[in-house]
Amino acid sequence: MNDINTLVLSTHLPLAPETAVQGWLADFETALADGDTAALAALFVADSHWRDVLAFTWHLTPHRGAGEIAAALGARQPQVRARGFSIAAGRTPPRRVKRLGLDVIEALIEFETELGRGNGILRLMPDASAEQPRAWVLLTALEELKGFEEHVGARRPTGEAYSRNFGGDNWLDQRRKSQAYEDRDPTVLVVGGGQAGLAIAARLNQLDVYTLVVDKHERIGDNWRKRYHSLALHNQIHVNHLPYMPFPPTWPKYIPKDMLANWFEAYAEALEINFWTGTEFVGGSYDHEAGHW
């Protein structure tokens, strides 16, 4: 009898986080592929939220409510052809957490579309009317475009152009010419060399998009260096990393302003960011026929 009771009770225990997420993603992908908006809506709780960052909509697009989310996903799927939804490899596995006072299963996910690859966040909550938990929050974000992958990891430059270039321009010569923009215009002009400006320039560099950052201050990092004497970041270091080059693990949780300013200077050098200090953008217009500003 005890064995029977144990068996009965075990069928009512909540699913393991990984099992719950895998099941939801499989059902989600099937409903997307079938264009079944009713099935899509059934996968979300009534007061649910989907935020898309370029992956489905090419915009920052929020939707609220199971019906609205399902209709929007169904409308975009024929063009987007999202597929391959799975738990993100090599990242924090699905886990039970509390968000806004609610107990949920949280997972980092990945997927691909016809044009790119994306990742996102899924938060599931139990639903008494359903056998499996339903989605409360879904984030989908485009990470890269197919055919325009960043030069990182296995795609990093070989360096052969420098190692065998005897008598020609070495790396420093090429950097100086690139920085001067004497023979070409930048494709993208970034106005302001703070954290956002440096981050977008670093990203664009890896896509072979010629980018110039301009800032009116005399030194890179002066936008922090010149603030009040005792200033430190008000949020913790984990949410302030820049692309490709995270802060050292020895750094304090709350970074002092001058420490951050000096890091920005080193970051721009290490990431080969073309940066003009003492330069202020005063206006301009783009000549579409000539193809320049």
Side-chain angles (χ1 to χ4, degrees):
M1 181 64 69
N2 288 338
D3 291 340
I4 294 176
N5 289 339
T6 300
L7 178 62
V8 172
L9 287 171
S10 68
T11 63
H12 292 82
L13 291 175
L15 293 172
E18 185 171 339
T19 302
V21 171
Q22 288 174 335
W24 190 93
L25 291 175
D27 293 342
F28 179 70
E29 184 162 343
T30 298
L32 265 182
D34 293 344
D36 190 339
T37 55
L40 284 170
L43 292 170
F44 292 83
V45 299
D47 186 20
S48 48
H49 304 265
W50 170 42
R51 182 175 179 82
D52 181 64
V53 182
L54 307 177
F56 279 77
T57 62
W58 295 111
H59 294 284
L60 309 181
T61 310
H63 292 281
R64 179 177 182 180
E68 180 181 327
I69 291 171
L73 284 167
R76 292 298 303 150
Q77 175 62 9
Q79 293 77 37
V80 175
R81 296 181 63 187
R83 56 196 184 271
F85 286 86
S86 62
I87 296 169
R91 303 184 66 183
T92 302
R95 56 182 179 166
R96 299 186 187 278
V97 296
K98 190 177 289 290
R99 298 288 183 239
L100 299 178
L102 300 174
D103 293 317
V104 299
I105 294 173
E106 183 176 85
L108 302 177
I109 64 172
E110 56 190 13
F111 60 95
E112 67 174 292
T113 68
E114 189 69 7
L115 297 179
R117 301 176 186 88
N119 53 40
I121 297 173
L122 173 66
R123 292 188 181 125
L124 303 175
M125 61 171 44
D127 190 328
S129 64
E131 293 183 3
Q132 294 192 357
R134 299 185 184 187
W136 171 44
V137 171
L138 175 64
L139 167 71
T140 52
L142 182 67
E143 181 66 21
E144 64 181 7
L145 292 171
K146 295 175 180 177
F148 298 91
E149 293 82 2
E150 297 174 327
H151 302 308
V152 297
R155 301 188 186 95
R156 71 169 67 228
T158 64
E160 291 180 358
Y162 310 122
S163 63
R164 295 180 175 85
N165 187 20
F166 302 108
D169 287 348
N170 67 6
W171 173 84
L172 184 58
D173 296 327
Q174 293 182 30
R175 285 294 302 130
R176 286 170 175 165
K177 289 181 178 180
S178 177
Q179 179 94 346
Y181 281 101
E182 292 179 347
D183 59 348
R184 70 192 194 287
D185 290 325
T187 304
V188 174
L189 179 67
V190 177
V191 180
Q195 188 155 351
L198 290 170
I200 190 63
R203 288 282 192 183
L204 289 171
N205 279 352
Q206 299 309 310
L207 297 173
D208 294 327
V209 177
Y210 291 118
T211 304
L212 172 64
V213 180
V214 296
D215 195 288
K216 65 181 180 181
H217 290 295
E218 292 80 12
R219 286 179 64 188
I220 299 173
D222 273 355
N223 61 324
W224 281 96
R225 195 177 285 113
K226 292 186 175 182
R227 299 193 185 192
Y228 65 88
H229 189 68
S230 60
L231 175 63
L233 293 190
H234 293 177
N235 48 20
Q236 293 192 16
I237 191 172
H238 315 92
V239 297
N240 289 297
H241 291 297
L242 283 87
Y244 315 116
M245 190 169 155
F247 299 118
T250 57
W251 275 31
K253 290 183 179 179
Y254 298 95
I255 307 172
K257 69 178 182 69
D258 296 288
M259 197 176 199
L260 184 65
N262 292 344
W263 181 262
F264 283 178
E265 211 164 31
Y267 182 84
E269 178 69 21
L271 272 295
E272 303 180 72
I273 294 173
N274 292 337
F275 199 123
W276 288 2
T277 55
T279 304
E280 188 170 359
F281 180 73
V282 295
S285 59
Y286 189 77
D287 187 329
H288 290 277
E289 292 186 2
H292 59 72
W293 289 89

